[in-house]
Amino acid sequence: MAKKDRRTQKKLAAGNLAGRAGGLKLPAWLGADQGPAHWILVVCALLVVLAVTYPGPMFQKLVFPSPDSSNADAFHAVGDASLAEGHYPHWNPYIFAGMPSFGSMTYARFIYPPSVVFNFLQTKLAFPPMTWALAHLLFGGLGMAWLLSRWRLPAGLLVLGAVAFILFPKVTAWVVHGHGSKLGAAMYLPWVVGLALRILDGKGWRSVGWLGLLMGLEFLRGHPQITFYILMTVGWVSLWGTLFPLDEAARRLRPATRWLRLGQVGVGIVLGFMVGAVLLLPLHDYSKISIRGQAAAGGGATLEYATGWSLAPAELGTLVLPAAAGFGKSTYVGFMPFNDYPNYLGLLLLGLAAGAWWHGRRSLTIGLMVLVVLAVFISFGNFGFGLYELLYNYLPFFNKFRIPSMILVLVGFVVALLAARGAGAWQQALQQDDAQQGPAPFGRPLVLPAVLGALGLIMLLAGAAGLGKGAYLSGLQDMAASSGKQAVDVILEKSWFLHKSSLIRMGLVLLTAGAALWAAHRNRRFLVPQLPWILAVLVVLDLGGVNRLIIHPEYGLQSVARGPDGRGTLVTAQPLLRPAPEARVIDAGPTGEMVRDACGHDRVWPLGNVPEAFLWMTDGVRSLAGYHPAKLARYEQIYKRLYANPLGGRLASWLAGSVVAVNGQLGPADLEYLQQAGIQVQAQPLGQSGVYLYRNESALPRARLLDSYQLVAQLPEKDALAPFLDGIQAGTLDVTGTVYLAEEPDPRPVPAAAPLPAPVFVKDGLDEVVLQTDAPTAALLLLADMNAPGWRVQVDGAPARLLTADLVLRGVALEAGSHTVRFHYTDPSVRRGLSLTVAGALVILLLLVLPWLRRGLSGRGKSTPVEGSHAHE
């Protein structure tokens, strides 16, 4: 009987808002956090939102192909083929003359456990190809709902906060444009923040274990920049909650207890680092030799490179007006190189978030607002009044990252959280007025509907009547002049149309929101229980209007195309959604096979825009080009010279660029230009199948024997790479007959009476190259592939000393005679990282399992009641 009474009281307390509906009786579990049915409702609501937002990916197996995802898929296909043969690749030999594939996260198969589940669902059970993205969005939305449930908000407000987070346009753009690691990493944010708050609440070591587990998965998702921002958020919220208690219970604790709980949060994060070590250690070690760790300043990406996508203060208007700086690549006139989406929040969410000021103690609200201000200033990058540069210079690891505007995902998260709490505060104010059984005062409950309604009316009238067109166009022209972009009449007109449409949509949303709030104030007994759901739907409509153009640019955006006269013109953007192939087959078609046959074991040098070049690796083609945001730092210096004006032709020949690929046929002037760049190409193409291929007659073979060497210490600039490369391109350094070494070879080469025979490739794999050589005298074998820590060499099965040849390549000294030389690579950090991962996983398992074991053992230890005795509830 006592249990039943307590259950009844709990339902009444939790459902006091829903249970008092005058003419409409609602179940109590619609009102607050109550059992499985409550969470089934939240899950169903989020699934409906995802179905409405992404119907193609969810029901029609459509996908969003993008250059970034296509580049990754190409090497994934290569890696999967290697894996099927029993070998896990650690090196990608196909781009940039080779680079680590594991440490650079080009290929990190099976490292992130959920991906194994998604691959099984998608390949074995025929789930849609984008199940992984939809599942992460659902996971992130549930995390936000779970975080908000700590304040016992109604289910509708949990859904409101969840959809505001997962429909933030930046998150939608990550789904559409192939940024899966960013998307997946960001979806852990509400979970880890919620767990940190639970630990501060005193929920014990089991919560520490869960925090360690989820932080570990966050690390393994493989986007260090998003993870860094999440660590900043968790650290900030935890420290703030320790210094300024978030509720009365925490305020009554001794300071020592609060600091002890902060230490537990730190333990959870350390455990997360341990779980993620199998990826973090290789990534950390690779960063030391990549452009993210070897900038001119001595570590990290250069400041100019890091701040390429900074949010200028002039573009802050996009937070409330999505077309304030244009919309999309063609009409965008802001200060970023290009931009596909606005960082739109909307006045409805911002207005609701302002109401969080009246939700309980204000400590958390203040802490989150300070976080928002810091995040916005960091997003300014090189416009940020020195804050970004300060962090770049002094905050550990901060200088490894670029794109400052990426941190705005934290702003979207905080606004979503505060909006749900603010709506709850407004609802609570109505509830308190209702309990007084008297007329509600004309005060706080009416301010928000009045403001939203007025703003909505102004926007609706401005959009419908076309008011403010002159000021809007003038502002775009001024922004374009400052950013160096074009603002021709056709772009301005398209931008104005998008802006006017946005004003009408936002005006209707705000008017409806204001009317709903006012109606709930006037008829609290009937409308207050439905108000959270009304607001959640309006948030979906508000953000959905922006996301619709991101997902379906063909519905209103423009792209640049070449007209019949050869000049650029604006046309309707092409749809992004495509039917998914039956299997993930990356095929460059006949072009790939043609390039492979032309290159053999050497490399292709793509010039101009040759998009197929990224797919050629599936045909085993090695390239001097490629794409990766963190290529080897030493190759970056080569790359800049290869594609400078004039081109680095002699450098291409040095690195075995035996085939030049271009989109059109070369004319006499082009051939002369290439000759001035230092290479001699055949006038007739080798073949043409969309791409023209030309033989570079000046190219050196990728593997070659040499009988002459010089120590780099004898060079005027010693081992400085830049003058060495410039010397090759200028023709003042002989790399055809001489190899430059950092140390004396053993044995020393002996000059031969005749040209040395060419080595023969026995195996030319991902992590292994096997060569057969036969020389009458001692010689040096040079392999024109990039050297890096982890490479080893064997001669006739015995370990040999690997030489750094020509400052960046690989070499080995050989005795006279016939030899089998094997170069092989293993990422040196993987084994150490794997050991830490296993150790961290075991500790977390103990933290999660021990409480259950303890309860079980304590239950067995209790004496069983003797028959006839009375048990008391």
Side-chain angles (χ1 to χ4, degrees):
M1 194 65 188
K3 284 184 178 179
K4 183 176 180 181
D5 291 342
R6 285 199 302 270
R7 204 159 44 239
T8 302
Q9 293 171 2
K10 188 177 181 182
K11 284 186 178 181
L12 290 174
N16 54 3
L17 188 58
R20 282 204 316 271
L24 182 66
K25 192 70 173 177
L26 296 175
W29 49 266
L30 280 176
D33 184 4
Q34 288 293 307
H38 166 87
W39 288 106
I40 290 173
L41 176 66
V42 172
V43 170
C44 290
L46 293 179
L47 287 174
V48 169
V49 170
L50 291 176
V52 171
T53 306
Y54 302 102
M58 184 173 283
F59 301 116
Q60 299 173 302
K61 293 190 174 182
L62 300 180
V63 296
F64 295 101
S66 70
D68 286 350
S69 60
S70 298
N71 299 339
D73 284 347
F75 189 73
H76 283 174
V78 174
D80 289 348
S82 175
L83 204 59
E85 297 175 357
H87 176 72
Y88 194 113
H90 286 188
W91 184 267
N92 179 358
Y94 297 118
I95 59 175
F96 304 138
M99 63 179 291
S101 61
F102 192 89
S104 66
M105 295 190 298
T106 306
Y107 189 84
R109 198 75 152 163
F110 305 129
I111 294 301
Y112 181 57
S115 67
V116 179
V117 178
F118 297 139
N119 288 335
F120 175 79
L121 294 175
Q122 293 168 194
T123 59
K124 303 299 183 182
L125 301 183
F127 275 54
M130 294 200 68
T131 296
W132 64 270
L134 299 171
H136 275 98
L137 289 169
L138 179 62
F139 175 71
L142 287 175
M144 179 62 81
W146 173 75
L147 171 59
L148 289 168
S149 69
R150 68 181 281 112
W151 294 288
R152 303 192 66 78
L153 298 176
L157 293 184
L158 304 189
V159 173
L160 185 153
V163 298
F165 178 53
I166 65 176
L167 296 186
F168 184 42
K170 182 178 288 293
V171 172
T172 303
W174 290 344
V175 176
V176 171
H177 296 290
H179 299 283
S181 58
K182 295 175 189 171
L183 169 70
M187 294 301 102
Y188 284 87
L189 176 57
W191 290 102
V192 296
V193 170
L195 284 167
L197 292 177
R198 281 180 62 85
I199 294 171
L200 295 182
D201 290 341
K203 298 300 182 181
W205 288 103
R206 191 172 170 195
S207 293
V208 173
W210 281 113
L211 178 61
L213 176 61
L214 290 183
M215 278 306 309
L217 292 174
E218 160 70 31
F219 284 121
L220 293 175
R221 189 61 192 89
H223 199 281
Q225 186 169 357
I226 294 295
T227 302
F228 189 88
Y229 293 153
I230 289 177
L231 287 172
M232 287 174 55
T233 305
V234 172
W236 175 263
V237 171
S238 300
L239 180 61
W240 186 275
T242 301
L243 295 173
F244 308 101
L246 305 180
D247 52 40
E248 289 299 325
R251 189 175 62 84
R252 290 193 294 268
L253 294 173
R254 293 180 304 157
T257 302
R258 295 203 301 267
W259 285 101
L260 178 62
R261 293 178 181 179
L262 178 63
Q264 288 181 309
V265 174
V267 170
I269 292 174
V270 169
L271 289 174
F273 271 103
M274 292 179 67
V275 170
V278 67
L279 183 62
L280 292 177
L281 279 184
L283 177 65
H284 175 263
D285 290 347
Y286 174 70
S287 71
K288 299 175 183 176
I289 59 174
S290 79
I291 57 176
R292 297 295 181 92
Q294 287 198 351
T302 62
L303 184 60
E304 180 183 3
Y305 178 73
T307 56
W309 267 265
S310 299
L311 180 75
E315 295 183 61
L316 276 177
T318 58
L319 296 177
V320 292
L321 297 172
F327 194 126
K329 290 181 181 178
S330 300
T331 60
Y332 173 71
V333 297
F335 293 82
M336 302 182 198
F338 62 85
N339 196 15
D340 298 310
Y341 61 91
N343 292 288
Y344 177 75
L345 293 168
L347 290 171
L348 175 58
L349 277 177
L350 291 173
L352 294 175
W357 185 257
W358 288 279
H359 196 292
R361 287 183 57 84
R362 294 172 178 169
S363 176
L364 179 62
T365 302
I366 295 172
L368 292 176
M369 291 172 67
V370 173
L371 178 64
V372 164
V373 172
L374 290 174
V376 169
F377 272 89
I378 291 172
S379 75
F380 288 160
N382 50 359
F383 303 102
F385 315 109
L387 175 61
Y388 187 92
E389 189 169 357
L390 180 69
L391 298 176
Y392 176 91
N393 290 326
Y394 297 107
L395 184 62
F397 299 104
F398 188 84
N399 61 7
K400 309 293 185 189
F401 310 122
R402 63 189 189 118
I403 310 181
S405 60
M406 199 183 299
I407 199 173
L408 291 175
V409 69
L410 300 186
V411 177
F413 163 73
V414 170
V415 170
L417 189 153
L418 292 181
R421 282 170 51 85
W426 196 89
Q427 194 179 34
Q428 187 178 17
L430 291 182
Q431 181 181 346
Q432 291 170 350
D433 288 340
D434 189 35
Q436 295 172 3
Q437 300 298 325
F442 184 82
R444 193 174 70 214
L446 284 177
V447 171
L448 184 58
V451 171
L452 293 180
L455 289 173
L457 183 61
I458 292 171
M459 286 186 170
L460 182 60
L461 292 177
L467 302 178
K469 180 177 181 179
Y472 174 77
L473 296 181
S474 176
L476 281 189
Q477 289 173 327
D478 292 342
M479 187 180 296
S482 300
S483 64
K485 289 187 170 64
Q486 291 186 341
V488 296
D489 291 342
V490 63
I491 290 178
L492 293 175
E493 286 299 323
K494 294 295 182 182
S495 299
W496 167 247
F497 175 78
L498 292 172
H499 178 63
K500 186 169 64 170
S501 302
S502 297
L503 288 177
I504 293 174
R505 186 194 72 253
M506 293 185 297
L508 290 173
V509 166
L510 291 176
L511 272 175
T512 305
L517 291 169
W518 178 82
H521 172 264
R522 297 290 296 174
N523 191 346
R524 276 163 262 166
R525 291 181 178 272
F526 183 80
L527 286 179
V528 167
Q530 290 79 35
L531 184 61
W533 296 100
I534 296 172
L535 294 176
V537 170
L538 290 175
V539 168
V540 172
L541 293 174
D542 191 20
L543 297 179
V546 176
N547 291 334
R548 180 173 178 268
L549 292 178
I550 300 173
I551 299 169
H552 297 284
E554 70 274 16
Y555 290 169
L557 297 186
Q558 306 291 309
S559 61
V560 177
R562 193 171 297 279
D565 57 356
R567 302 175 63 181
T569 183
L570 288 182
V571 298
T572 301
Q574 293 296 312
L576 294 177
L577 282 167
R578 300 280 192 278
E582 292 299 323
R584 190 171 75 175
V585 177
I586 309 298
D587 185 11
T591 304
E593 298 174 3
M594 186 175 65
V595 178
R596 179 192 61 205
D597 295 340
C599 290
H601 295 283
D602 292 339
R603 295 192 174 89
V604 64
W605 184 24
L607 297 179
N609 182 23
V610 187
E612 300 94 331
F614 294 110
L615 306 180
W616 291 342
M617 68 177 73
T618 60
D619 288 294
V621 177
R622 289 161 175 78
S623 175
L624 292 173
Y627 170 77
H628 195 277
K631 64 177 76 73
L632 284 167
R634 308 212 91 185
Y635 194 82
E636 174 73 2
Q637 297 191 50
I638 300 171
Y639 187 83
K640 288 179 178 179
R641 289 166 172 81
L642 279 173
Y643 292 97
N645 189 11
L647 295 168
R650 290 190 177 89
L651 291 171
S653 297
W654 166 60
L655 293 175
S658 63
V659 174
V660 175
V662 291
N663 263 332
Q665 189 168 3
L666 296 178
D670 301 316
L671 296 173
E672 183 179 355
Y673 175 77
L674 290 176
Q675 189 171 8
Q676 293 174 355
I679 65 172
Q680 185 70 42
V681 300
Q682 293 178 351
Q684 294 300 318
L686 300 172
Q688 188 269 323
S689 178
V691 176
Y692 287 80
L693 305 178
Y694 291 86
R695 174 72 62 194
N696 174 16
E697 297 177 339
S698 308
L700 299 173
R702 183 165 145 244
R704 49 193 184 264
L705 289 172
L706 300 102
D707 58 8
S708 175
Y709 76 96
Q710 182 178 346
L711 294 177
V712 295
Q714 298 171 353
L715 295 174
E717 302 289 343
K718 304 297 189 276
D719 60 352
L721 182 58
F724 183 81
L725 298 175
D726 292 337
I728 295 176
Q729 181 55 33
T732 58
L733 277 179
D734 174 28
V735 290
T736 60
T738 302
V739 60
Y740 297 85
L741 302 175
E743 54 186 326
E744 288 284 354
D746 184 21
R748 293 186 179 184
V750 177
L756 295 173
V760 176
F761 282 89
V762 178
K763 182 177 182 181
D764 200 3
L766 300 181
D767 302 340
E768 182 182 27
V769 178
V770 180
L771 296 156
Q772 188 70 41
T773 66
D774 191 0
T777 62
L780 293 165
L781 171 62
L782 182 146
L783 182 63
D785 292 357
M786 295 298 291
N787 199 5
W791 275 104
R792 302 288 184 269
V793 64
Q794 294 175 330
V795 178
D796 299 327
R801 183 174 55 167
L802 181 69
L803 301 174
T804 299
D806 290 353
L807 276 67
V808 294
L809 307 179
R810 296 175 228 149
V812 64
L814 301 174
E815 297 279 3
S818 178
H819 300 285
T820 300
V821 181
R822 176 177 178 257
F823 295 92
H824 57 99
Y825 177 81
T826 302
D827 195 310
S829 307
V830 172
R831 187 180 298 274
R832 291 184 290 118
L834 185 58
S835 300
L836 284 174
T837 294
V838 171
L842 289 175
V843 174
I844 288 174
L845 183 62
L846 287 174
L847 290 177
L848 295 179
V849 171
L850 279 179
W852 289 333
L853 293 178
R854 246 189 240 154
R855 281 200 298 270
L857 292 174
S858 62
R860 287 184 187 178
K862 291 180 180 179
S863 58
T864 305
V866 180
E867 185 178 355
S869 64
H870 299 280
H872 299 278
E873 293 184 2

